[in-house]
Amino acid sequence: MGADPINNNANIDVDGFPSNKKSPLILGLQPSALVDHVAWEEVKQILSEVETHISPSKQDLSPIKTLGGGSVANTIRGLSACFGISSGLVGACGDDAQGKLFIDNMDSKGCVCLVDQVGNRTMRPCLAQAVRLKWLVMRFAAINLELIHAAVRIAKRDGLLVSLDLASFEMIRSNKSALVELLESGDIDLCFANEDEAMEVVRGRHDISPEGALDYLATHCQWALVTLGPKGCIAKHGKETVKLPAIGEAQPCDATGAGDLFASGFIYGLIEGLSLEDCCRVGTCSGGSVIRSLGGDVTLENRQWMYKQLQIKDLPVPQF
């Protein structure tokens, strides 16, 4: 899975990486490719489309936007397209129309992938040396626990920082012991959660509040983030805690990808060496940019809006 599948005619360097691509600084692990169908439809019409498996044509008056999705893919695409950070995505992708759509969509945003010459995904034996990685970005999922643990072991062995998104409160509720074990291992450096997810982690164990959940996450992770939707976010690193409002200038259209793009901006801030507060401020700008249109991809117009917000707030604007 990824944006640039290697074929037998590609130019491959000694690391097995396409010689015409810049080695990624950040690698996302998303075991399965996902495709989002984002629509303005009424609920009944959406259900009708799902039941009949029919996608509207371009002539259809009811707009549906189809693009590669998934939390990790959205974050990696944001890092690459919005911030110019060389990024990669590893996982599995079907060789069908939706699989090709996913690959084309990621490729158009400048992402790269690690696959072998017949298209299989691969975990590099030495990530840091192979592609000079700094970060591994993941999403918690019970079905992929074995893979997640293997990836974390390799990442920590090779000196990478690990970022984990907590997926959903339903996932946490059903698999809390596995998640708690992963968090309390001390191997997760950066944890992203929305308000519901964060409080589900500590339900029955600690203070059930966003602040209580933040304290718990920060006990085990270097950086802990809890996004609060229109109320902004709270973050903690060591003894420092910040609370930031959402960016007021953003006009919400669709919240798809808001948390994922917040993560893109925050990680970009860390790479740039920004303070905790400024990392959050960049995250609110990138998260605010994606909600201005349908889907988890930031349009060119909204990227320009985001860069303007960064300038207004005296934050670093990516130089491509």
Side-chain angles (χ1 to χ4, degrees):
M1 175 181 71
D4 194 13
I6 301 171
N7 57 50
N8 292 330
N9 298 320
N11 295 319
I12 310 299
D13 66 16
V14 293
D15 290 325
F17 197 80
S19 57
N20 65 335
K21 292 286 187 181
K22 185 179 178 182
S23 297
L25 183 66
I26 298 177
L27 182 66
L29 175 63
Q30 182 170 299
S32 299
L34 300 173
V35 173
D36 290 337
H37 298 278
V38 189
W40 286 113
E41 315 301 302
E42 295 291 339
V43 173
K44 289 184 179 179
Q45 186 166 349
I46 292 176
L47 293 176
S48 174
E49 297 292 346
V50 173
E51 290 168 358
T52 56
H53 303 285
I54 297 174
S55 295
S57 68
K58 292 182 179 179
Q59 289 73 38
D60 196 299
L61 295 178
S62 300
I64 290 183
K65 186 176 182 180
T66 303
L67 69 160
S71 176
V72 174
N74 289 340
T75 297
I76 291 297
R77 184 169 52 209
L79 280 161
S80 179
C82 298
F83 295 103
I85 301 295
S86 180
S87 306
L89 191 64
V90 63
C93 184
D95 187 21
D96 56 10
Q98 292 198 340
K100 292 175 182 177
L101 182 150
F102 182 92
I103 290 173
D104 289 344
N105 182 250
M106 295 301 291
D107 189 40
S108 69
K109 305 304 176 184
C111 302
V112 294
C113 73
L114 292 172
V115 297
D116 65 18
Q117 292 190 359
V118 295
N120 296 316
R121 60 183 171 86
T122 177
M123 291 302 295
R124 301 300 302 178
C126 183
L127 291 177
Q129 292 182 15
V131 289
R132 295 174 291 279
L133 289 168
K134 299 298 182 185
W135 280 91
L136 175 66
V137 176
M138 304 185 304
R139 183 176 190 261
F140 179 71
I143 195 172
N144 299 314
L145 274 178
E146 184 177 349
L147 180 59
I148 288 173
H149 283 291
V152 170
R153 284 196 300 270
I154 295 172
K156 302 315 293 184
R157 182 195 70 190
D158 292 341
L160 275 65
L161 295 166
V162 177
S163 170
L164 183 70
D165 180 273
L166 294 194
S168 70
F169 74 88
E170 297 97 339
M171 179 77 71
I172 296 168
R173 184 174 297 169
S174 302
N175 304 278
K176 186 179 294 187
S177 61
L179 174 60
V180 167
E181 179 184 357
L182 181 61
L183 290 171
E184 295 186 355
S185 70
D187 289 332
I188 305 303
D189 300 284
L190 169 59
C191 183
F192 291 102
N194 65 30
E195 187 172 357
D196 292 335
E197 295 159 0
M199 290 194 293
E200 189 60 42
V201 172
V202 297
R203 191 176 303 279
R205 297 166 53 94
H206 299 271
D207 173 21
I208 305 178
S209 68
E211 293 77 14
L214 182 73
D215 287 340
Y216 168 76
L217 294 173
T219 300
H220 304 289
C221 307
Q222 288 193 57
W223 298 275
L225 276 295
V226 178
T227 56
L228 306 173
K231 295 179 290 184
C233 70
I234 50 176
K236 189 169 184 178
H237 173 53
K239 295 182 178 180
E240 181 184 8
T241 301
V242 301
K243 183 172 184 178
L244 218 64
I247 185 166
E249 293 82 356
Q251 299 178 351
C253 167
D254 171 22
T256 301
D260 305 332
L261 268 294
F262 178 94
S264 298
F266 188 89
I267 294 173
Y268 167 75
L270 289 179
I271 292 172
E272 290 292 305
L274 302 184
S275 67
L276 179 64
E277 181 175 350
D278 282 350
C279 286
C280 291
R281 292 169 70 203
V282 176
T284 61
C285 290
S286 54
S289 69
V290 74
I291 68 175
R292 291 163 52 87
S293 60
L294 281 176
D297 190 11
V298 181
T299 65
L300 177 59
E301 178 184 352
N302 287 337
R303 286 204 297 274
Q304 295 302 323
W305 177 89
M306 182 189 76
Y307 299 148
K308 182 178 180 180
Q309 297 301 316
L310 292 174
Q311 287 180 323
I312 292 172
K313 299 178 189 307
D314 198 25
L315 295 167
V317 178
Q319 301 297 319
F320 290 85

